[in-house]
Amino acid sequence: ARREAQDSHNATQLKRGNRLEFRFFKANRRWHGFLKNVEFVHAVMAFAKDNPIADCHADPFTRWVGHQTKRWNTYPTLTAWLANTNL
């Protein structure tokens, strides 16, 4: 419980029982910010569905998101945000 309390400011958190929790504290006043968050949650769920938990890290995830966007234009807002973010 102490570790969970220390991690309470993370946007995502893996909880006991393989439950993934998403937290977005600050409301987005811009449409792109809101859309990025929605695309992120959808992308994480789709990525986790097809990948073992041990492979769920930032680098494989960002490559997967980029591939999905190039192939299907699925996450354009998230892809643009990731391109401007240093993970």
Side-chain angles (χ1 to χ4, degrees):
R2 180 179 294 275
R3 183 167 189 261
E4 288 181 12
Q6 291 172 346
D7 293 340
S8 66
H9 291 90
N10 291 336
T12 59
Q13 185 174 8
L14 184 61
K15 304 287 263 181
R16 291 183 205 156
N18 295 329
R19 188 180 85 208
L20 185 60
E21 182 176 279
F22 296 93
R23 299 175 182 167
F24 298 102
F25 297 104
K26 187 175 181 183
N28 285 295
R29 294 176 187 225
R30 296 183 180 172
W31 174 249
H32 288 321
F34 173 77
L35 189 57
K36 173 203 41 113
N37 290 346
V38 171
E39 287 180 7
F40 173 73
V41 171
H42 187 274
V44 166
M45 299 306 293
F47 180 75
K49 180 181 171 188
D50 295 333
N51 292 279
I53 194 71
D55 295 338
C56 292
H57 298 285
D59 289 338
F61 174 72
T62 54
R63 283 192 300 273
W64 181 87
V65 167
H67 176 72
Q68 296 302 313
T69 300
K70 287 178 188 172
R71 187 171 177 194
W72 302 106
N73 199 27
T74 308
Y75 307 112
T77 308
L78 178 60
T79 301
W81 182 81
L82 288 170
N84 293 318
T85 305
N86 295 325
L87 295 177

XYZ file of all heavy atoms in Angstrom:
730
model
N 0.824 -1.193 0.000
C 0.000 0.000 0.000
C 0.867 1.255 0.000
O 0.532 2.229 -0.637
C -0.924 -0.005 1.206
N 2.007 1.206 0.700
C 2.882 2.371 0.738
C 3.401 2.696 -0.656
O 3.437 3.849 -1.050
C 4.041 2.145 1.703
C 4.979 3.334 1.774
C 6.111 3.108 2.750
N 5.652 3.014 4.116
C 5.439 4.055 4.915
N 5.615 5.265 4.459
N 5.025 3.903 6.143
N 3.802 1.683 -1.434
C 4.315 1.920 -2.783
C 3.226 2.543 -3.662
O 3.479 3.462 -4.418
C 4.812 0.636 -3.412
C 5.417 0.876 -4.770
C 6.181 -0.353 -5.249
N 6.905 -0.020 -6.443
C 6.480 -0.315 -7.671
N 5.365 -0.956 -7.844
N 7.194 0.032 -8.714
N 2.012 2.048 -3.565
C 0.914 2.627 -4.343
C 0.688 4.085 -3.975
O 0.446 4.907 -4.830
C -0.366 1.821 -4.127
C -0.324 0.472 -4.800
C -1.603 -0.304 -4.594
O -2.596 0.288 -4.129
O -1.621 -1.496 -4.898
N 0.804 4.416 -2.718
C 0.617 5.800 -2.278
C 1.711 6.696 -2.838
O 1.450 7.828 -3.217
C 0.606 5.872 -0.753
N 2.944 6.193 -2.929
C 4.044 6.992 -3.478
C 3.865 7.230 -4.962
O 4.294 8.242 -5.487
C 5.379 6.281 -3.229
C 5.780 6.241 -1.778
C 7.008 5.373 -1.553
O 7.412 4.598 -2.414
N 7.603 5.507 -0.385
N 3.235 6.295 -5.673
C 3.057 6.397 -7.110
C 1.741 7.067 -7.501
O 1.346 7.034 -8.641
C 3.104 5.000 -7.743
C 4.477 4.370 -7.632
O 5.452 5.117 -7.435
O 4.567 3.135 -7.736
N 1.062 7.682 -6.572
C -0.277 8.194 -6.842
C -0.309 9.367 -7.816
O -1.372 9.735 -8.278
C -0.968 8.593 -5.537
O -0.306 9.698 -4.955
N 0.829 9.952 -8.142
C 0.841 11.075 -9.073
C 1.154 10.657 -10.508
O 1.246 11.502 -11.386
C 1.842 12.135 -8.604
C 1.369 12.820 -7.358
N 1.684 12.353 -6.110
C 0.581 13.893 -7.180
C 1.121 13.137 -5.209
N 0.437 14.076 -5.831
N 1.318 9.371 -10.766
C 1.546 8.884 -12.117
C 0.239 8.872 -12.892
O -0.828 8.634 -12.329
C 2.128 7.468 -12.095
C 3.537 7.453 -11.559
O 4.234 8.453 -11.605
N 3.951 6.320 -11.042
N 0.321 9.093 -14.201
C -0.874 9.088 -15.041
C -1.436 7.679 -15.203
O -2.636 7.505 -15.358
C -0.567 9.680 -16.408
N -0.567 6.688 -15.160
C -1.012 5.306 -15.232
C -0.395 4.529 -14.085
O 0.686 4.855 -13.611
C -0.597 4.639 -16.555
O 0.818 4.674 -16.671
C -1.236 5.314 -17.737
N -1.089 3.516 -13.663
C -0.589 2.701 -12.567
C -1.171 1.305 -12.690
O -2.370 1.136 -12.910
C -0.988 3.315 -11.228
C -0.408 2.599 -10.046
C -0.721 3.341 -8.757
O -1.479 4.305 -8.743
N -0.139 2.903 -7.681
N -0.283 0.295 -12.580
C -0.722 -1.091 -12.564
C -1.053 -1.447 -11.125
O -0.207 -1.365 -10.248
C 0.372 -2.010 -13.122
C 0.016 -3.477 -13.245
C -1.161 -3.660 -14.200
C 1.216 -4.267 -13.745
N -2.286 -1.811 -10.890
C -2.761 -2.126 -9.548
C -2.779 -3.644 -9.362
O -2.648 -4.396 -10.309
C -4.173 -1.577 -9.330
C -4.304 -0.088 -9.570
C -3.674 0.707 -8.501
C -4.748 1.116 -7.538
N -4.304 1.915 -6.439
N -2.959 -4.064 -8.130
C -3.082 -5.495 -7.841
C -4.222 -6.092 -8.637
O -5.209 -5.434 -8.924
C -3.333 -5.708 -6.356
C -2.130 -5.371 -5.535
C -2.396 -5.661 -4.084
N -1.508 -4.785 -3.315
C -1.717 -4.409 -2.099
N -2.778 -4.811 -1.457
N -0.859 -3.627 -1.490
N -4.066 -7.369 -8.973
C -5.107 -8.038 -9.742
C -5.057 -7.682 -11.216
O -6.047 -7.807 -11.915
N -3.890 -7.193 -11.702
C -3.708 -6.829 -13.106
C -4.696 -5.773 -13.583
O -5.155 -5.794 -14.711
C -3.772 -8.068 -14.003
C -2.627 -8.999 -13.736
O -1.542 -8.574 -13.373
N -2.860 -10.287 -13.900
N -5.016 -4.835 -12.708
C -5.901 -3.724 -13.059
C -5.051 -2.514 -13.408
O -4.158 -2.132 -12.666
C -6.817 -3.404 -11.883
C -7.880 -2.390 -12.246
C -8.769 -2.105 -11.078
N -8.107 -1.064 -10.288
C -8.252 -0.913 -8.984
N -8.984 -1.746 -8.296
N -7.652 0.066 -8.354
N -5.323 -1.928 -14.541
C -4.600 -0.739 -14.978
C -5.483 0.471 -14.730
O -6.647 0.501 -15.131
C -4.251 -0.840 -16.461
C -3.398 0.265 -17.042
C -2.057 0.350 -16.334
C -3.194 0.035 -18.519
N -4.921 1.463 -14.063
C -5.679 2.664 -13.711
C -5.091 3.854 -14.462
O -3.882 4.041 -14.510
C -5.553 2.882 -12.207
C -6.312 4.041 -11.676
C -6.193 4.109 -10.162
O -6.920 3.379 -9.471
O -5.343 4.892 -9.684
N -5.962 4.661 -15.077
C -5.559 5.872 -15.783
C -6.017 7.074 -14.972
O -7.162 7.132 -14.541
C -6.200 5.941 -17.175
C -5.758 4.847 -18.078
C -6.489 3.674 -18.178
C -4.608 4.971 -18.818
C -6.084 2.659 -19.004
C -4.186 3.958 -19.647
C -4.932 2.801 -19.746
N -5.124 8.038 -14.800
C -5.456 9.239 -14.039
C -5.058 10.471 -14.835
O -3.913 10.628 -15.214
C -4.691 9.257 -12.715
C -4.998 8.106 -11.829
C -4.102 8.180 -10.623
N -4.345 7.052 -9.754
C -3.557 6.719 -8.771
N -2.469 7.423 -8.525
N -3.836 5.692 -8.028
N -6.001 11.330 -15.059
C -5.729 12.597 -15.716
C -6.281 13.673 -14.802
O -7.484 13.885 -14.727
C -6.366 12.643 -17.106
C -5.813 11.591 -18.013
C -6.519 10.441 -18.280
C -4.554 11.738 -18.558
C -5.997 9.459 -19.099
C -4.021 10.760 -19.376
C -4.740 9.619 -19.646
N -5.402 14.345 -14.076
C -5.804 15.282 -13.036
C -6.284 16.617 -13.571
O -7.243 17.170 -13.106
C -4.643 15.525 -12.061
C -4.243 14.281 -11.328
C -3.099 13.596 -11.677
C -5.014 13.802 -10.287
C -2.733 12.454 -11.001
C -4.653 12.657 -9.599
C -3.508 11.974 -9.962
N -5.585 17.150 -14.520
C -5.877 18.489 -14.996
C -6.780 18.414 -16.226
O -6.458 17.744 -17.198
C -4.570 19.193 -15.353
C -4.728 20.639 -15.706
C -3.376 21.266 -15.928
C -3.510 22.722 -16.269
N -2.222 23.333 -16.556
N -7.864 19.111 -16.181
C -8.766 19.124 -17.329
C -8.080 19.828 -18.493
O -7.395 20.830 -18.314
C -10.055 19.845 -16.969
N -8.264 19.288 -19.666
C -7.697 19.902 -20.859
C -8.679 20.913 -21.420
O -9.837 20.597 -21.669
C -7.404 18.834 -21.916
C -6.187 18.044 -21.572
O -5.101 18.593 -21.541
N -6.353 16.768 -21.281
N -8.198 22.117 -21.608
C -9.049 23.156 -22.183
C -8.968 23.144 -23.701
O -9.760 23.786 -24.373
C -8.636 24.519 -21.656
C -8.891 24.622 -20.177
C -8.402 25.931 -19.632
N -8.521 25.894 -18.186
C -9.005 26.865 -17.480
N -9.380 27.981 -18.058
N -9.081 26.759 -16.185
N -8.014 22.423 -24.207
C -7.854 22.325 -25.658
C -8.311 20.958 -26.131
O -8.072 19.941 -25.492
C -6.403 22.548 -26.049
C -5.920 23.931 -25.724
C -4.534 24.142 -26.187
N -4.114 25.496 -25.847
C -2.892 25.924 -25.991
N -1.954 25.129 -26.438
N -2.597 27.164 -25.667
N -8.941 20.957 -27.298
C -9.444 19.714 -27.868
C -8.318 18.709 -28.092
O -8.483 17.522 -27.818
C -10.183 20.011 -29.174
C -10.604 18.760 -29.886
C -10.104 18.287 -31.057
C -11.595 17.825 -29.469
N -10.722 17.115 -31.406
C -11.646 16.814 -30.427
C -12.437 17.744 -28.356
C -12.518 15.731 -30.328
C -13.295 16.664 -28.259
C -13.331 15.672 -29.239
N -7.166 19.162 -28.562
C -6.063 18.237 -28.846
C -5.574 17.531 -27.587
O -5.210 16.364 -27.637
C -4.903 18.945 -29.539
C -5.187 19.315 -30.958
N -5.893 18.513 -31.820
C -4.859 20.406 -31.687
C -5.990 19.077 -32.995
N -5.371 20.247 -32.942
N -5.552 18.232 -26.465
C -5.143 17.603 -25.211
C -6.106 16.514 -24.775
O -5.705 15.437 -24.349
N -7.388 16.794 -24.892
C -8.400 15.797 -24.559
C -8.315 14.609 -25.503
O -8.320 13.444 -25.075
C -9.796 16.428 -24.626
C -10.908 15.441 -24.454
C -11.217 14.950 -23.189
C -11.634 14.996 -25.546
C -12.240 14.030 -23.024
C -12.653 14.080 -25.383
C -12.953 13.590 -24.128
N -8.202 14.887 -26.800
C -8.135 13.829 -27.799
C -6.891 12.968 -27.612
O -6.950 11.740 -27.739
C -8.161 14.440 -29.200
C -8.309 13.472 -30.360
C -9.568 12.628 -30.211
C -8.340 14.252 -31.669
N -5.763 13.590 -27.270
C -4.534 12.838 -27.007
C -4.748 11.845 -25.877
O -4.336 10.688 -25.966
C -3.385 13.777 -26.669
C -2.140 13.040 -26.214
C -1.189 13.863 -25.362
C -1.793 14.743 -24.350
N -1.546 14.411 -22.951
N -5.412 12.272 -24.812
C -5.664 11.382 -23.676
C -6.575 10.218 -24.061
O -6.345 9.080 -23.654
C -6.257 12.151 -22.506
C -5.256 13.076 -21.855
O -4.058 12.978 -22.082
N -5.736 13.985 -21.036
N -7.610 10.488 -24.840
C -8.510 9.423 -25.280
C -7.759 8.445 -26.179
O -7.867 7.219 -26.023
C -9.744 10.009 -25.996
C -10.570 8.915 -26.653
C -10.584 10.813 -25.019
N -6.967 8.959 -27.118
C -6.176 8.092 -27.989
C -5.178 7.272 -27.179
O -4.955 6.096 -27.465
C -5.435 8.918 -29.046
C -6.338 9.470 -30.121
C -5.580 10.283 -31.159
O -4.335 10.318 -31.143
O -6.248 10.901 -32.011
N -4.583 7.887 -26.160
C -3.614 7.180 -25.321
C -4.268 5.990 -24.614
O -3.741 4.878 -24.641
C -3.013 8.131 -24.288
C -2.138 7.442 -23.278
C -0.877 6.977 -23.620
C -2.588 7.252 -21.982
C -0.070 6.336 -22.694
C -1.794 6.609 -21.042
C -0.536 6.150 -21.404
N -5.416 6.199 -23.994
C -6.086 5.106 -23.292
C -6.452 4.001 -24.267
O -6.226 2.817 -24.004
C -7.329 5.615 -22.524
C -8.148 4.460 -21.974
C -6.899 6.547 -21.401
N -6.984 4.356 -25.412
C -7.342 3.344 -26.421
C -6.097 2.592 -26.881
O -6.115 1.358 -26.989
C -8.044 4.006 -27.610
C -8.577 3.021 -28.583
N -7.811 2.498 -29.603
C -9.800 2.442 -28.688
C -8.534 1.652 -30.301
N -9.753 1.599 -29.765
N -5.020 3.320 -27.151
C -3.789 2.696 -27.627
C -3.192 1.758 -26.579
O -2.744 0.656 -26.910
C -2.775 3.768 -28.021
N -3.173 2.171 -25.331
C -2.634 1.307 -24.269
C -3.436 0.022 -24.168
O -2.871 -1.071 -24.059
C -2.595 2.038 -22.915
C -2.359 1.076 -21.766
C -1.518 3.108 -22.924
N -4.747 0.132 -24.215
C -5.592 -1.060 -24.111
C -5.368 -1.985 -25.311
O -5.259 -3.196 -25.145
C -7.066 -0.667 -23.999
C -7.374 0.179 -22.770
S -6.834 -0.539 -21.209
C -7.917 -1.944 -21.113
N -5.285 -1.437 -26.507
C -5.061 -2.253 -27.706
C -3.670 -2.881 -27.678
O -3.507 -4.053 -28.029
C -5.243 -1.402 -28.963
N -2.672 -2.119 -27.265
C -1.301 -2.629 -27.190
C -1.196 -3.740 -26.152
O -0.608 -4.791 -26.404
C -0.339 -1.494 -26.851
C 1.102 -1.919 -26.752
C 1.835 -2.185 -27.888
C 1.714 -2.046 -25.521
C 3.160 -2.579 -27.807
C 3.035 -2.434 -25.415
C 3.764 -2.704 -26.567
N -1.784 -3.539 -24.985
C -1.711 -4.531 -23.913
C -2.458 -5.809 -24.278
O -2.068 -6.895 -23.850
C -2.268 -3.944 -22.620
N -3.490 -5.684 -25.071
C -4.250 -6.859 -25.490
C -3.392 -7.819 -26.314
O -3.543 -9.031 -26.207
C -5.465 -6.410 -26.311
C -6.333 -7.522 -26.818
C -7.485 -6.958 -27.624
C -8.228 -8.076 -28.323
N -9.226 -7.545 -29.246
N -2.484 -7.266 -27.118
C -1.684 -8.081 -28.033
C -0.260 -8.344 -27.564
O 0.500 -8.991 -28.279
C -1.633 -7.415 -29.412
C -3.000 -7.367 -30.067
O -3.838 -8.233 -29.757
O -3.229 -6.452 -30.882
N 0.119 -7.835 -26.400
C 1.494 -7.982 -25.931
C 1.519 -8.467 -24.494
O 0.734 -7.986 -23.673
C 2.235 -6.645 -26.026
C 2.446 -6.226 -27.454
O 3.355 -6.698 -28.112
N 1.582 -5.355 -27.957
N 2.457 -9.370 -24.174
C 2.583 -9.789 -22.771
C 2.998 -8.607 -21.903
O 3.680 -7.700 -22.361
C 3.666 -10.857 -22.791
C 4.151 -10.970 -24.179
C 3.390 -10.006 -25.046
N 2.594 -8.631 -20.657
C 2.878 -7.522 -19.737
C 4.372 -7.232 -19.652
O 4.778 -6.089 -19.497
C 2.250 -7.772 -18.347
C 2.247 -6.494 -17.510
C 2.958 -8.881 -17.610
C 1.310 -5.453 -17.945
N 5.213 -8.252 -19.784
C 6.665 -8.055 -19.708
C 7.177 -7.189 -20.861
O 8.219 -6.549 -20.746
C 7.379 -9.402 -19.708
N 6.452 -7.143 -21.975
C 6.872 -6.359 -23.137
C 6.236 -4.970 -23.177
O 6.429 -4.230 -24.130
C 6.512 -7.102 -24.425
C 7.277 -8.398 -24.573
O 8.348 -8.536 -23.944
O 6.797 -9.281 -25.310
N 5.457 -4.628 -22.183
C 4.752 -3.344 -22.163
C 5.636 -2.262 -21.565
O 5.596 -1.987 -20.364
C 3.436 -3.475 -21.412
S 2.242 -4.510 -22.263
N 6.456 -1.663 -22.423
C 7.354 -0.574 -22.036
C 7.186 0.567 -23.030
O 6.580 0.407 -24.087
C 8.804 -1.049 -22.030
C 9.067 -2.146 -21.056
N 9.147 -1.943 -19.708
C 9.247 -3.467 -21.247
C 9.379 -3.087 -19.098
N 9.428 -4.038 -20.007
N 7.748 1.697 -22.715
C 7.569 2.900 -23.536
C 8.071 2.733 -24.966
O 7.379 3.117 -25.911
C 8.249 4.099 -22.873
N 9.271 2.196 -25.158
C 9.824 2.097 -26.518
C 8.988 1.217 -27.444
O 8.628 1.653 -28.542
C 11.280 1.618 -26.489
C 12.220 2.676 -25.951
O 11.871 3.877 -25.993
O 13.305 2.302 -25.477
N 8.654 -0.025 -27.043
C 7.801 -0.823 -27.928
C 6.423 -0.193 -28.148
O 5.878 -0.260 -29.248
C 7.663 -2.169 -27.218
C 8.734 -2.213 -26.206
C 9.093 -0.792 -25.891
N 5.899 0.448 -27.118
C 4.591 1.092 -27.239
C 4.634 2.233 -28.252
O 3.770 2.329 -29.124
C 4.118 1.603 -25.879
C 2.852 2.399 -25.935
C 1.634 1.780 -26.183
C 2.867 3.771 -25.756
C 0.452 2.519 -26.246
C 1.698 4.513 -25.811
C 0.484 3.884 -26.055
N 5.631 3.101 -28.162
C 5.696 4.242 -29.091
C 5.920 3.766 -30.522
O 5.361 4.351 -31.451
C 6.776 5.258 -28.688
O 8.031 4.602 -28.554
C 6.429 5.932 -27.371
N 6.715 2.712 -30.710
C 6.892 2.161 -32.062
C 5.564 1.606 -32.584
O 5.203 1.818 -33.744
C 7.963 1.067 -32.070
C 9.375 1.613 -32.032
C 10.398 0.538 -32.345
N 10.345 -0.576 -31.401
C 11.002 -0.623 -30.247
N 11.777 0.379 -29.895
N 10.907 -1.673 -29.471
N 4.838 0.907 -31.734
C 3.558 0.326 -32.114
C 2.552 1.423 -32.480
O 1.852 1.311 -33.480
C 3.029 -0.544 -30.964
C 1.736 -1.217 -31.249
C 1.550 -2.423 -31.863
C 0.429 -0.721 -30.925
N 0.212 -2.704 -31.933
C -0.499 -1.674 -31.369
C -0.028 0.427 -30.304
C -1.865 -1.516 -31.209
C -1.389 0.602 -30.149
C -2.295 -0.375 -30.599
N 2.485 2.473 -31.667
C 1.574 3.587 -31.948
C 1.914 4.205 -33.298
O 1.026 4.462 -34.120
C 1.622 4.654 -30.827
C 0.937 5.939 -31.257
C 0.977 4.125 -29.551
N 3.196 4.450 -33.551
C 3.611 5.025 -34.828
C 3.243 4.146 -36.006
O 2.780 4.631 -37.044
N 3.413 2.826 -35.839
C 3.066 1.895 -36.906
C 1.559 1.908 -37.176
O 1.133 1.921 -38.331
C 3.524 0.476 -36.536
C 3.132 -0.549 -37.533
N 3.728 -0.642 -38.770
C 2.195 -1.527 -37.488
C 3.181 -1.636 -39.445
N 2.242 -2.185 -38.687
N 0.750 1.912 -36.126
C -0.699 1.940 -36.286
C -1.150 3.231 -36.975
O -2.066 3.212 -37.785
C -1.398 1.817 -34.919
C -1.155 0.509 -34.217
C -1.589 -0.692 -35.032
O -2.677 -0.721 -35.582
N -0.727 -1.674 -35.133
N -0.486 4.324 -36.648
C -0.876 5.598 -37.234
C -0.478 5.659 -38.705
O -1.248 6.135 -39.546
C -0.270 6.758 -36.433
O -0.772 6.665 -35.098
C -0.671 8.100 -37.004
N 0.716 5.145 -39.032
C 1.124 5.122 -40.445
C 0.223 4.210 -41.251
O -0.125 4.511 -42.390
C 2.570 4.647 -40.564
C 3.576 5.656 -40.118
C 4.982 5.092 -40.229
C 5.973 6.038 -39.603
N 7.309 5.454 -39.511
N -0.158 3.096 -40.665
C -0.949 2.102 -41.391
C -2.430 2.477 -41.491
O -3.032 2.331 -42.543
C -0.788 0.763 -40.677
C -1.391 -0.384 -41.393
C -0.980 -1.671 -40.723
N -1.625 -2.785 -41.382
C -1.694 -3.986 -40.889
N -1.155 -4.241 -39.715
N -2.295 -4.936 -41.537
N -3.008 2.930 -40.397
C -4.443 3.164 -40.355
C -4.834 4.589 -39.961
O -6.015 4.886 -39.845
C -5.106 2.219 -39.348
C -4.867 0.781 -39.627
C -4.025 -0.037 -38.925
C -5.421 -0.024 -40.664
N -4.041 -1.302 -39.461
C -4.894 -1.318 -40.542
C -6.320 0.238 -41.689
C -5.231 -2.350 -41.398
C -6.658 -0.803 -42.550
C -6.114 -2.072 -42.392
N -3.871 5.446 -39.667
C -4.151 6.803 -39.174
C -4.988 6.758 -37.892
O -5.904 7.541 -37.695
C -4.838 7.648 -40.245
C -4.716 9.125 -39.948
O -3.785 9.564 -39.295
N -5.665 9.902 -40.429
N -4.639 5.803 -37.022
C -5.429 5.530 -35.827
C -5.205 6.541 -34.716
O -6.160 6.947 -34.053
C -5.109 4.118 -35.302
O -5.251 3.193 -36.381
C -6.028 3.725 -34.176
N -3.968 6.933 -34.450
C -3.647 7.797 -33.306
C -2.848 9.035 -33.735
O -1.748 9.255 -33.255
C -2.855 7.007 -32.263
C -3.512 5.717 -31.840
C -2.963 4.495 -32.171
C -4.680 5.737 -31.096
C -3.563 3.307 -31.780
C -5.298 4.560 -30.704
C -4.732 3.345 -31.055
O -5.337 2.181 -30.660
N -3.370 9.856 -34.613
C -2.576 10.984 -35.118
C -2.214 12.012 -34.041
O -1.106 12.551 -34.037
C -3.452 11.597 -36.204
C -4.842 11.176 -35.860
C -4.700 9.821 -35.199
N -3.117 12.302 -33.127
C -2.849 13.305 -32.090
C -1.815 12.778 -31.101
O -0.890 13.488 -30.708
C -4.145 13.689 -31.362
O -5.128 14.046 -32.343
C -3.927 14.848 -30.422
N -1.950 11.521 -30.689
C -0.993 10.901 -29.777
C 0.374 10.792 -30.427
O 1.391 11.078 -29.798
C -1.496 9.521 -29.345
C -0.581 8.717 -28.430
C -0.307 9.454 -27.123
C -1.180 7.339 -28.169
N 0.426 10.410 -31.698
C 1.697 10.289 -32.407
C 2.414 11.636 -32.481
O 3.616 11.717 -32.250
C 1.477 9.739 -33.832
O 0.841 8.467 -33.721
C 2.781 9.584 -34.576
N 1.674 12.691 -32.779
C 2.273 14.032 -32.833
C 2.808 14.435 -31.467
O 3.899 15.001 -31.360
C 1.250 15.051 -33.334
N 2.069 14.132 -30.409
C 2.519 14.471 -29.049
C 3.762 13.674 -28.685
O 4.702 14.223 -28.126
C 1.389 14.210 -28.055
C 1.751 14.571 -26.662
C 1.737 15.820 -26.096
C 2.200 13.689 -25.636
N 2.142 15.761 -24.789
C 2.432 14.460 -24.472
C 2.422 12.318 -25.582
C 2.883 13.897 -23.291
C 2.865 11.760 -24.389
C 3.089 12.553 -23.267
N 3.781 12.382 -28.999
C 4.947 11.538 -28.696
C 6.191 12.023 -29.435
O 7.297 11.942 -28.925
C 4.664 10.073 -29.026
C 3.711 9.355 -28.084
C 3.325 7.995 -28.662
C 4.318 9.209 -26.710
N 6.006 12.508 -30.669
C 7.137 12.998 -31.461
C 7.779 14.221 -30.811
O 8.973 14.475 -31.001
C 6.683 13.330 -32.873
N 7.011 14.977 -30.033
C 7.522 16.181 -29.384
C 7.865 15.976 -27.911
O 8.115 16.927 -27.198
C 6.493 17.308 -29.505
C 6.328 17.755 -30.932
O 7.309 17.893 -31.653
N 5.104 17.936 -31.359
N 7.833 14.714 -27.446
C 8.078 14.391 -26.042
C 9.298 13.496 -25.927
O 9.451 12.569 -26.691
C 6.857 13.660 -25.434
O 5.709 14.466 -25.634
C 7.057 13.394 -23.973
N 10.150 13.792 -24.974
C 11.308 12.945 -24.718
C 10.949 11.939 -23.630
O 10.833 12.293 -22.476
C 12.508 13.766 -24.264
C 12.972 14.694 -25.356
O 12.917 14.361 -26.525
N 13.439 15.867 -24.961
N 10.748 10.686 -24.024
C 10.434 9.638 -23.040
C 11.691 8.997 -22.535
O 12.650 8.849 -23.157
C 9.520 8.582 -23.656
C 8.129 9.068 -24.043
C 7.369 7.935 -24.710
C 7.372 9.532 -22.821
